[in-house]
Each structure stands twice: as C-alpha cells, then as structure tokens.
Amino acid sequence: MNAPLKPDAFSVAAEIAQAAEPIIRFEKVGKVFAGRRGQKPVTALEGIDLDVPRGAIVGVIGRSGAGKSTLIRLVNGLERASSGRILIEDEDVTGLTEAGWRTRRRATGMIFQHFNLLSSRTVFDNVALPLEIGGTPKAEIAGRVEKLLDLVGLADKRERYPAELSGGQKQRVGIARALATDPKVLLCDEATSALDPETTQSILALLKQVNRELGVTILLITHEIPVIKEICDRVAVIEGGRIVEEGETFEVFTRPQHPTTARFVEAVTGVELPAHLEGQLRETPQAGGSTVLRITFSGANATAPVISRLSATVGIDINILAGRIDAIAGKPFGSLLVAIPAGEPGVGAVLGALKGLELKAEVIGHVA
C-alpha cells in the first residue's frame, strides 16, 4: 500500500477552487517542420487552442501521426512553436532561450513510454539524478528520494538496478524521478503503452494519487481510450494536427460531437449486438419481429431499475439482449441493447417514455 506523503514533504497545489485557472494555455499554436531534401514542409499542428486547468488531469488522444507527441514536446521546450503562443503559469514560453527553458523545466516533470532510466544507476540514484544536476545538497537529496520511493511503493528496491525491475516498477521509478524537483506539472508521453493491462491500472492509480495528494497538474498523451476514461477530468481529441473536440471527459464520451471522437469512444461506451442476431439485423420492421433499441444511461439512471419501470409503464415486454455499466471519469454510465415488439404504437410509446425519463435511445435495426 502506498503511504501518503507528509504535508511538509512537498509543496501542495492551491485550493480545488482554482482548478478552472489554466496553468498551461495554447493560443492558436502551430508547428511546421521543414521538409527534407527538397520536400514540402510538414504541418504537425495548426491553430491549437487548449487550456489545461490547474490541478486537473487532462488527456490528449489521437492516432499515430495526429500531432499529440509534438504538442506535449512544446510544453517542455523539446520543440518550438512556429506560430501562436504557449503560456505556462502566465509566462509566455514561446520565445524562451535554452537557459530560460532549463529554469522552466524544473517545474515540469516528464515520464516516458520506455522509461528512459540509466542502466548503470540504482533505483535510488536514478531518482536522485535531477536533484544532483540541480545542485541540491546531498543531505536533502537523501530525504527527498526516500519519500518519493515510499510514495511509488519502491522503498525496498532502492539498491536495485533497472534490469532487475519489471516494466511497472521501471515506470514507478520514472514517476518518482519526474517528481524529484517538486514540479507543478507532470507530462506523460504514452506512459502506459508498454505495460500490460493490470500494470497499467496500477500506474494510473498512482498517477491519480500523485494528482490528489501533491496537487500536481497532469497532461498526458495517449492513443488508449481506456486510459482517458479511467483517469482524465478533461480530454482533447486531436486529428490531423487540429483539436477536433475538447471538454469534460464524461460529456465528451457520452455525447461525442465529432466522428473521430465517436469512433474512439465506441469501444468503451458501446455494447455489441450478440453474434447470432447481428446477421439478422434489418433496416425495416419485420412482420411479427422485434425492434432493437440502444439505450444509454448516465448519472443516477445508470444504476436505477429503469427497464422494469419502463415495462410496467408501457405494458410491453422488453427483452435485454446485452448491456454494460461502467464509470467514465468516476461517473456511472450504462448502455443496453433491448428488443421490443416491432410496430406502432409500442415502439413510439417506449421511445416517448424513455425521452420522458431523459434517457437517450435510438433504433439500431429490426429482426424477424
């Protein structure tokens, strides 16, 4: 069990009420890479407007080549914007010199997909490295590293080398190292992509703990929609170098407005029709058959006995074909596929009753 940090161990972020205040702001940011060997320049980002609220966990999701890696590299100066402005704590960092970026990076930690640990240094020494580079006295380094190793659950691995650790343990070392300089922002570059599902869950739980106990703002990029669902307060969907949708994770997942977003979230919010019925689905009602509806639930309705109440209200037998109840950003969300007798007035009565209950419902087809 990871022990909580003592209040005086690290500076804790401001009150939760400040969460709406952006600690990072992108204003019309663009990034163009010069073409190689006479080829045309490549536009990686264009017109990026994005706020990262202080104390929040914000995810940026997109497929390979969408521009998400370039975006996160702009935040720590590994890349420079071609246009627009990037503000961190109200400081315009767009034109910072390398010396200015060295100062700024002390307030920004970063963890990587492939850990980036030094194989010749122990766990303790890997975590201590940023402090040594920054000139922190040895006496202070020891105390700080010990607290961090306790936080990430590796106090008993302090003298081990990276080759002796599992992938999850290596990433925990990476997180401890990123927190060594007491950053206000933690950047995560596909931090769980190299991990198995169970280890991913433990790392996400640790990141939530870091956010909650230390008040560290987290900006992460990923192509894994379950990561966004599990950990992020807000999400931005990037495609072709542009943000195509952005908002609170629950709202974006349950009411996607852009086709790219809808394709991403279908895997974690939808429910598949049983295989034996999928081939029978038709666009028009079948005589004596059934109409198949998809009903989505959120909030209190996600766990309420809506179907039994609905059946009693409209007086129609409702057959549940498949369903799932999950949590998105900590809020319950459910999806059901049901079959009801085809034809009016039954279908109309059910759809009307569902609308009255403020539930989303759609006809996805008909079966004989």
Side-chain angles (χ1 to χ4, degrees), residues 159-294:
E159 299 303 327
R160 298 288 183 88
Y161 288 88
E164 302 175 273
L165 305 177
S166 67
Q169 290 169 337
K170 291 176 184 177
Q171 195 57 284
R172 288 173 179 270
V173 177
I175 293 171
R177 181 185 57 189
L179 295 172
T181 57
D182 193 14
K184 296 180 180 178
V185 174
L186 182 62
L187 306 177
C188 302
D189 184 1
E190 297 280 10
T192 60
S193 295
L195 305 175
D196 63 73
E198 184 177 352
T199 304
T200 291
Q201 286 298 313
S202 70
I203 294 299
L204 294 179
L206 176 57
L207 290 175
K208 285 194 285 188
Q209 181 186 357
V210 166
N211 171 255
R212 182 179 64 251
E213 295 186 8
L214 305 185
V216 176
T217 303
I218 297 177
L219 174 62
L220 64 87
I221 64 169
T222 183
H223 65 275
E224 300 175 301
I225 198 70
V227 170
I228 301 289
K229 178 181 77 72
E230 177 69 24
I231 194 175
C232 293
D233 306 308
R234 301 185 67 83
V235 60
V237 182
I238 189 169
E239 181 180 42
R242 290 179 173 272
I243 301 291
V244 297
E245 190 161 357
E246 187 270 336
E248 293 185 4
T249 301
F250 187 82
E251 294 301 315
V252 171
F253 272 45
T254 57
R255 299 178 180 88
Q257 302 300 306
H258 193 275
T260 297
T261 309
R263 288 193 295 270
F264 266 122
V265 304
E266 185 177 15
V268 294
T269 63
V271 58
E272 294 183 356
L273 191 69
H276 70 280
L277 288 178
E278 188 172 6
Q280 302 177 35
L281 208 62
R282 300 290 183 268
E283 293 184 2
T284 57
Q286 306 295 298
S290 300
T291 295
V292 180
L293 305 179
R294 177 185 287 111

Side-chain angles (χ1 to χ4, degrees), residues 27-31 45-49 83 241-243:
E27 296 180 349
K28 305 299 180 186
V29 172
K31 175 62 180 179
L45 297 173
E46 185 176 359
I48 298 294
D49 287 313
S83 59
R242 290 179 173 272
I243 301 291

Side-chain angles (χ1 to χ4, degrees), residues 124-158:
F124 183 98
D125 291 336
N126 265 284
V127 178
L129 183 60
L131 299 171
E132 294 172 4
I133 293 173
T136 303
K138 286 187 177 182
E140 292 183 25
I141 289 176
R144 184 168 300 211
V145 172
E146 293 292 354
K147 287 184 174 68
L148 284 167
L149 291 179
D150 189 47
L151 170 69
V152 302
L154 293 178
D156 61 336
K157 301 289 191 299
R158 66 190 309 279

Side-chain angles (χ1 to χ4, degrees), residues 296-310:
T296 54
F297 307 76
S298 60
N301 283 332
T303 54
V306 173
I307 296 301
S308 60
R309 294 174 186 173
L310 181 64

